[in-house]
Amino acid sequence: MKRILIADCKQEISSFNPLPSHYENFLIRHGDGLYDQRGKNQELGGALAVFEARPDIEIVPTICARAGSAGLLSAEGWKKLSEEILAAIFAKLDGIDGIYVSLHGAMGADGELDPEGYLLEKLREHAGPGIPIVISLDLHGILTDRMLRQVDGFAIYRTYPHVDFADTGRRAAELLLKLMDGGVRPVAARVVIPALVRGDELITKTGCYGELLAECRRLEEEGRALAAGIMIGNPFTDVPELCSQVLILTDGDKASAEREAIRLAEEFWPLRFRMQGKLVPLDRAIAQARSIDGPVIFTDAADATSSGASGDSNAILAALRAAGYGKRVLAQIVDAPAAAAAHKAGVGATIEVTLGGSIDPARFPPMKVKAKVKLLSDGEAALETMKAPLSAGPTAVLTWDNVTVVVMSRSVSLFDRAMYYANGLDPTDFDLIVVKSPHTEFHMFDQWCARNFNIDAPGATSANLKSLGHTICARPIYPLDEGVDFAPRATIYEL
């Protein structure tokens, strides 16, 4: 029997969210609790299907620690979390033949801006050089030099909006088994591209980014690469190695890895202009929405909780009120005090509260509302695609005039309709729906709406990247700086 240790650690942060995250933000499962992902569209679910199909493989589950996207993890939170993760893994390392770790790549902590690199470095120190380690990553992650020096292989998401969680885990598991079977000499080429990108061209089904990822898929499926990917980072995670990058892993073919990585980087660079968010001024969007028959979506990507924003933006609601917009509005917001007031008052009560700006009042001045408490819930739901749990804490549906708002106590990912559905609301019943995510799967909103406006609003995840104030990432980098030059050069890692 060959024994494979599995672990999972994920969080994506925005350095521009003023509210730090903490250890308590993480849902942590130990041991057999990792089997909760079995059969689900999650990385461990895909990997387990591969490992469990092999009678000669024994799985050693250790720890799964996941938190919703948020602000920088506190120093105390990181210390406690990292110690717990490493203790759980080290306790099971004896007799292990291979290791699979599911990561995100865009974590960040106070005092440790490369948490994944730290964990992998400590893991390699204890596991030794002979045990293959394979990781999986979100394409919005940053695969750092430090991380690459600890691992033997990687698998990277191929879709955005993300739907290939389990498939990525499957590819990582198959690669690990190949390495464990022996005879493979992994060599990686990495080309760092000084560009940050956002916008519709990143939708992999329709955009130019997807065309480049199709080349990565081809290289893998033709057997010319063990793994291939193009990571675009998370522009809101302001860390030293923030970038876009091409990664090619081959079986001993250094020249091919270098050639393909440089080729794809050369194809990516001219497309950086197209891969920027095209924002619509809020006042123009409201004016146009008045005259459109059928529902419209107001995409508030600047307050995208799945990218690490605070979720407490009331910018669109305040502008709709000021403009006298009269059609039916549906929105979501994170405001723990307002949710608590609603729960205290009870269903049917009318309450006077401030809404928004409970976390980031400098960006979002609190707005006074007199609202009816329509519904109360525990804020529990599950993502539509992944079926991963959401826990927004005490939640309320407040209504006033033509407006309905789901008010949550805690930030959760809002890249689907889960929190609307969980609180008895169908977005198709409304004329204007606020979506706090840069993109969603096509059928969720775009398939049935008349128009989707990508709103230019303030927030910790604004696609207006120059407005955010990066201070840590390497410069110059497009679009933060003018006249950025790029001559692709590959760094080779003989893993």
Side-chain angles (χ1 to χ4, degrees):
M1 295 289 287
K2 294 182 179 180
R3 306 178 75 236
I4 294 178
L5 182 149
I6 61 173
D8 188 313
C9 177
K10 284 193 184 67
Q11 186 183 36
E12 183 177 21
I13 68 105
S14 169
S15 305
F16 310 106
N17 181 342
L19 181 68
S21 55
H22 301 281
Y23 172 85
E24 290 73 23
N25 288 71
F26 285 80
L27 174 63
I28 300 177
R29 292 189 172 94
H30 287 266
D32 289 349
L34 275 66
Y35 291 119
D36 288 350
Q37 292 192 40
R38 183 188 280 131
K40 294 180 180 178
N41 186 19
Q42 298 182 36
E43 291 92 319
L44 289 187
L48 288 170
V50 173
F51 296 146
E52 292 178 335
R54 286 269 299 256
D56 60 331
I57 295 296
E58 178 187 349
I59 299 167
V60 181
T62 57
I63 188 169
C64 174
R66 290 187 169 194
S69 302
L72 192 73
L73 181 59
S74 68
E76 298 80 7
W78 167 240
K79 182 176 186 297
K80 185 173 182 179
L81 178 71
S82 59
E83 288 176 351
E84 184 172 349
I85 289 171
L86 292 174
I89 292 174
F90 294 165
K92 300 286 185 68
L93 267 180
D94 287 347
I96 291 298
D97 300 290
I99 298 171
Y100 167 50
V101 187
S102 170
L103 299 168
H104 185 282
M107 288 186 72
D110 185 3
E112 179 50 79
L113 294 179
D114 184 12
E116 292 99 336
Y118 173 86
L119 293 174
L120 290 172
E121 190 173 63
K122 295 300 181 185
L123 176 55
R124 178 56 79 190
E125 286 176 5
H126 282 71
I131 297 178
I133 300 173
V134 172
I135 60 175
S136 59
L137 294 162
D138 191 317
L139 56 80
H140 289 108
I142 302 111
L143 181 51
T144 65
D145 174 82
R146 184 188 192 185
M147 293 168 68
L148 265 171
R149 294 186 185 280
Q150 319 307 322
V151 303
D152 301 275
F154 50 80
I156 301 165
Y157 292 179
R158 290 171 170 165
T159 64
Y160 175 72
H162 307 313
V163 295
D164 62 334
F165 307 101
D167 182 68
T168 303
R170 173 192 63 78
R171 290 185 286 119
E174 291 174 349
L175 176 58
L176 178 58
L177 291 176
K178 187 176 293 187
L179 294 172
M180 291 170 60
D181 288 340
V184 176
R185 296 182 299 111
V187 174
R190 177 190 188 222
V191 177
V192 171
I193 305 170
L196 304 178
V197 295
R198 296 296 282 173
D200 293 343
E201 289 292 337
L202 302 183
I203 299 175
T204 49
K205 279 190 176 181
T206 58
C208 59
Y209 177 49
E211 295 173 8
L212 295 176
L213 291 186
E215 278 291 280
C216 295
R217 179 190 293 270
R218 179 181 66 82
L219 292 174
E220 289 188 22
E221 293 185 353
E222 290 181 354
R224 296 171 62 186
L226 296 171
I230 302 173
M231 300 177 71
I232 53 176
N234 176 22
F236 319 114
T237 307
D238 189 16
V239 294
E241 292 188 49
L242 175 62
C243 65
S244 298
Q245 57 184 312
V246 180
L247 297 139
I248 306 292
L249 182 73
T250 64
D251 181 3
D253 191 345
K254 180 164 57 176
S256 177
E258 182 175 12
R259 182 178 63 254
E260 295 296 345
I262 289 175
R263 176 179 70 86
L264 288 170
E266 288 175 336
E267 292 184 22
F268 184 101
W269 181 246
L271 299 172
R272 69 193 184 280
F273 303 104
R274 288 173 59 184
M275 292 190 278
Q276 297 299 314
K278 299 170 180 64
L279 302 174
V280 181
L282 184 48
D283 57 349
R284 177 182 296 180
I286 294 172
Q288 291 187 18
R290 293 181 195 274
S291 62
I292 294 176
D293 293 328
V296 298
I297 307 300
F298 272 29
T299 289
D300 189 6
D303 198 36
T305 52
S306 57
S307 300
S310 51
D312 64 329
S313 172
N314 55 15
I316 291 176
L317 290 172
L320 290 170
R321 171 189 275 183
Y325 180 84
K327 296 183 181 180
R328 296 166 299 175
V329 174
L330 177 64
Q332 298 176 110
I333 201 165
V334 177
D335 193 319
H343 274 258
K344 182 178 180 180
V347 172
T350 297
I351 59 175
E352 295 187 30
V353 293
T354 59
L355 199 61
S358 60
I359 298 168
D360 196 352
R363 282 195 179 104
F364 316 120
M367 180 177 72
K368 291 182 178 181
V369 300
K370 183 177 182 180
K372 181 178 181 180
V373 181
K374 193 73 174 178
L375 180 144
L376 299 173
S377 78
D378 58 7
E380 299 293 320
L383 290 170
E384 288 186 68
T385 298
M386 295 175 66
K387 304 304 180 188
L390 298 173
S391 184
T395 295
V397 176
L398 299 183
T399 63
W400 69 89
D401 300 329
N402 58 315
V403 178
T404 299
V405 182
V406 179
V407 184
M408 298 163 285
S409 295
R410 292 191 295 269
S411 170
V412 295
S413 292
L414 299 174
F415 53 72
D416 63 12
R417 300 162 296 187
M419 289 306 297
Y420 284 138
Y421 286 160
N423 289 280
L425 298 165
D426 184 344
T428 62
D429 292 335
F430 294 82
D431 301 299
L432 189 156
I433 305 96
V434 177
V435 177
K436 294 197 174 190
S437 173
H439 297 101
T440 63
E441 291 179 54
F442 178 74
H443 70 277
M444 293 178 179
F445 295 100
D446 290 284
Q447 186 175 52
W448 50 265
C449 77
R451 175 80 185 275
N452 188 336
F453 294 91
N454 190 9
I455 301 297
D456 188 3
T461 57
S462 170
N464 183 358
L465 301 181
K466 289 185 177 182
S467 71
L468 294 172
H470 292 76
T471 60
I472 299 173
C473 68
R475 307 291 284 268
I477 191 168
Y478 176 84
L480 305 185
D481 303 295
E482 301 294 331
V484 181
D485 295 322
F486 175 59
R489 180 182 64 85
T491 302
I492 303 299
Y493 299 82
E494 300 193 45
L495 308 176

